[in-house]
């Protein structure tokens, strides 16, 4: 198999046709039958820490490469502009490094996300505090006026 064709779908079908890359934008996932022909289903979720899909209007590319180290075939290839470029099998060291790199990137990404999230939370807390401060002032002001009018 040297090329694939892509198909935009709502749901990834249960039976994947060989040589077809199914893309579900709504579910942010891409699936295809392993390009070596072994029939294993390869699922490549799209996310900032998983795969990125490029669609140029005619063909698709997936980044990074697809390393099926969990399959008996252990195939490894790139899909670039609907062409399959074989990248050679992973050796055990590469598999380990790849997994470590993956874990590392995920950890960095979620740490970044977490720290911005907590910053936003803090901002929200500050804003709420300010608001309650203002409204307390308002009540206090009214109370003072009321007292002055007594
Ligand atoms: Zn395979």
């Amino acid at each position: 198999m040297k090329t694939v064709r892509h198909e935009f779908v709502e749901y990834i079908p249960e039976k994947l046709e060989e040589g077809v890359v199914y893309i579900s934008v709504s579910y942010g996932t891409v699936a295809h039958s392993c390009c070596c022909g072994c029939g294993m289903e390869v699922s490549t979720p799209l996310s900032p820490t998983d795969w990125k899909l490029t669609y140029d209007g005619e063909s698709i590319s997936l980044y990074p490469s697809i390393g099926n180290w969990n399959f008996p075939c252990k195939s490894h290839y790139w899909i670039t502009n609907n062409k399959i470029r074989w990248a050679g099998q992973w050796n055990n060291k590469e598999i380990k490094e790849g997994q470590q790199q993956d874990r590392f990137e995920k950890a960095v990404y979620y740490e970044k996300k977490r720290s911005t999230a907590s910053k936003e939370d803090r901002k929200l807390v500050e804003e709420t505090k300010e608001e309650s401060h203002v409204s307390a002032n308002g009540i206090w002001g009214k109370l003072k006026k009321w007292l002055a009018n007594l």
Side-chain angles (χ1 to χ4, degrees):
M1 218 193 289
K2 286 196 178 77
T3 58
V4 290
R5 66 185 174 84
H6 62 272
E7 221 174 86
F8 287 100
V9 291
E10 175 75 18
Y11 305 102
I12 303 294
E14 256 175 58
K15 181 115 183 57
L16 304 179
E17 200 185 308
E18 262 186 37
V20 181
V21 177
Y22 297 92
I23 302 148
S24 169
V25 173
S26 348
Y27 292 93
T29 194
V30 174
H32 69 278
S33 177
C34 180
C35 289
C36 87
C38 70
M40 294 289 277
E41 184 180 326
V42 183
S43 172
T44 46
L46 303 173
S47 92
T49 59
D50 291 297
W51 278 270
K52 289 152 193 69
L53 176 83
T54 313
Y55 174 54
D56 67 3
E58 285 182 3
S59 62
I60 54 114
S61 305
L62 276 170
Y63 179 88
S65 63
I66 294 150
N68 296 323
W69 56 60
N70 293 325
F71 296 172
C73 69
K74 293 199 169 36
S75 60
H76 179 204
Y77 47 86
W78 295 82
I79 297 179
T80 312
N81 298 119
N82 286 19
K83 284 189 200 71
I84 300 161
R85 189 157 50 88
W86 294 92
Q89 285 203 343
W90 299 85
N91 61 41
N92 285 336
K93 191 169 160 269
E94 282 168 333
I95 291 173
K96 235 174 119 185
E97 280 170 1
Q99 285 170 336
Q100 273 167 354
Q101 179 68 18
D102 197 43
R103 267 203 295 274
F104 175 73
E105 277 174 18
K106 273 197 161 61
V108 168
Y109 174 79
Y110 287 111
E111 179 53 36
K112 246 196 245 164
K113 215 175 170 181
R114 201 183 60 80
S115 64
T116 35
S118 63
K119 236 180 260 163
E120 272 163 25
D121 282 350
R122 268 204 297 278
K123 221 178 112 201
L124 199 68
V125 169
E126 293 294 313
E127 278 168 11
T128 325
K129 257 197 222 154
E130 254 166 52
E131 265 168 38
S132 56
H133 190 65
V134 167
S135 64
N137 258 354
I139 289 165
W140 184 233
K142 273 183 204 152
L143 193 66
K144 268 208 289 204
K145 242 187 231 166
W146 180 74
L147 283 169
N149 284 336
L150 274 182

